[in-house]
Short mmCIF file of all heavy atoms in Angstrom, two decimals:
data_model
loop_
_atom_site.label_atom_id
_atom_site.label_comp_id
_atom_site.label_asym_id
_atom_site.label_seq_id
_atom_site.Cartn_x
_atom_site.Cartn_y
_atom_site.Cartn_z
N GLN M 140 -0.27 -1.86 -22.54
CA GLN M 140 -0.44 -2.78 -21.41
C GLN M 140 0.45 -2.39 -20.24
O GLN M 140 0.02 -2.45 -19.09
CB GLN M 140 -0.10 -4.21 -21.84
CG GLN M 140 -1.12 -4.87 -22.70
CD GLN M 140 -0.69 -6.29 -23.01
OE1 GLN M 140 0.39 -6.52 -23.56
NE2 GLN M 140 -1.53 -7.24 -22.66
N LEU M 141 1.67 -1.96 -20.52
CA LEU M 141 2.58 -1.56 -19.45
C LEU M 141 2.07 -0.30 -18.76
O LEU M 141 2.07 -0.22 -17.52
CB LEU M 141 4.00 -1.33 -20.01
CG LEU M 141 5.07 -0.97 -18.98
CD1 LEU M 141 5.16 -2.02 -17.88
CD2 LEU M 141 6.41 -0.77 -19.66
N ARG M 142 1.62 0.68 -19.52
CA ARG M 142 1.05 1.89 -18.90
C ARG M 142 -0.13 1.53 -18.00
O ARG M 142 -0.27 2.05 -16.90
CB ARG M 142 0.59 2.86 -19.98
CG ARG M 142 1.68 3.63 -20.64
CD ARG M 142 1.10 4.66 -21.62
NE ARG M 142 2.15 5.23 -22.41
CZ ARG M 142 2.54 4.78 -23.61
NH1 ARG M 142 1.93 3.76 -24.16
NH2 ARG M 142 3.52 5.36 -24.26
N SER M 143 -0.97 0.65 -18.47
CA SER M 143 -2.13 0.21 -17.69
C SER M 143 -1.71 -0.51 -16.42
O SER M 143 -2.26 -0.28 -15.34
CB SER M 143 -3.01 -0.69 -18.55
OG SER M 143 -4.10 -1.15 -17.82
N ALA M 144 -0.72 -1.39 -16.52
CA ALA M 144 -0.25 -2.13 -15.34
C ALA M 144 0.32 -1.19 -14.29
O ALA M 144 0.17 -1.44 -13.09
CB ALA M 144 0.79 -3.16 -15.76
N VAL M 145 0.96 -0.11 -14.72
CA VAL M 145 1.54 0.84 -13.78
C VAL M 145 0.46 1.71 -13.16
O VAL M 145 0.50 2.01 -11.97
CB VAL M 145 2.61 1.71 -14.48
CG1 VAL M 145 3.04 2.87 -13.60
CG2 VAL M 145 3.80 0.86 -14.87
N ARG M 146 -0.54 2.09 -13.92
CA ARG M 146 -1.58 3.00 -13.42
C ARG M 146 -2.58 2.36 -12.46
O ARG M 146 -3.03 3.01 -11.53
CB ARG M 146 -2.36 3.54 -14.60
CG ARG M 146 -1.68 4.67 -15.24
CD ARG M 146 -2.69 5.60 -15.89
NE ARG M 146 -1.94 6.72 -16.40
CZ ARG M 146 -1.26 6.67 -17.53
NH1 ARG M 146 -1.28 5.61 -18.26
NH2 ARG M 146 -0.57 7.71 -17.92
N ILE M 147 -2.95 1.14 -12.70
CA ILE M 147 -4.02 0.52 -11.93
C ILE M 147 -3.52 0.11 -10.55
O ILE M 147 -2.55 -0.62 -10.41
CB ILE M 147 -4.59 -0.71 -12.67
CG1 ILE M 147 -5.24 -0.24 -13.98
CG2 ILE M 147 -5.59 -1.46 -11.81
CD1 ILE M 147 -5.66 -1.37 -14.89
N GLU M 148 -4.19 0.63 -9.53
CA GLU M 148 -3.88 0.27 -8.15
C GLU M 148 -4.56 -1.05 -7.84
O GLU M 148 -5.76 -1.20 -8.04
CB GLU M 148 -4.38 1.34 -7.18
CG GLU M 148 -3.65 2.66 -7.31
CD GLU M 148 -2.25 2.62 -6.76
OE1 GLU M 148 -2.01 1.87 -5.79
OE2 GLU M 148 -1.39 3.32 -7.30
N ARG M 149 -3.81 -1.99 -7.34
CA ARG M 149 -4.37 -3.29 -7.00
C ARG M 149 -4.15 -3.56 -5.53
O ARG M 149 -3.04 -3.50 -5.04
CB ARG M 149 -3.70 -4.39 -7.81
CG ARG M 149 -3.85 -4.18 -9.29
CD ARG M 149 -4.58 -5.31 -9.92
NE ARG M 149 -4.55 -5.16 -11.36
CZ ARG M 149 -5.64 -4.97 -12.08
NH1 ARG M 149 -6.80 -4.92 -11.52
NH2 ARG M 149 -5.55 -4.85 -13.38
N GLN M 150 -5.23 -3.83 -4.84
CA GLN M 150 -5.15 -4.28 -3.45
C GLN M 150 -5.20 -5.79 -3.47
O GLN M 150 -6.04 -6.37 -4.14
CB GLN M 150 -6.30 -3.73 -2.61
CG GLN M 150 -6.27 -2.23 -2.44
CD GLN M 150 -5.15 -1.76 -1.54
OE1 GLN M 150 -3.98 -1.96 -1.84
NE2 GLN M 150 -5.49 -1.13 -0.47
N ALA M 151 -4.30 -6.39 -2.76
CA ALA M 151 -4.29 -7.85 -2.69
C ALA M 151 -5.45 -8.30 -1.81
O ALA M 151 -5.77 -7.68 -0.81
CB ALA M 151 -2.98 -8.33 -2.11
N SER M 152 -6.09 -9.35 -2.22
CA SER M 152 -7.18 -9.87 -1.40
C SER M 152 -6.62 -10.98 -0.52
O SER M 152 -6.09 -11.95 -1.02
CB SER M 152 -8.31 -10.40 -2.29
OG SER M 152 -7.81 -11.37 -3.17
#
Side-chain angles (χ1 to χ4, degrees):
Q140 286 182 303
L141 183 56
R142 283 185 190 92
S143 178
V145 170
R146 278 209 176 79
I147 296 172
E148 293 287 328
R149 302 240 188 244
Q150 293 290 61
S152 56

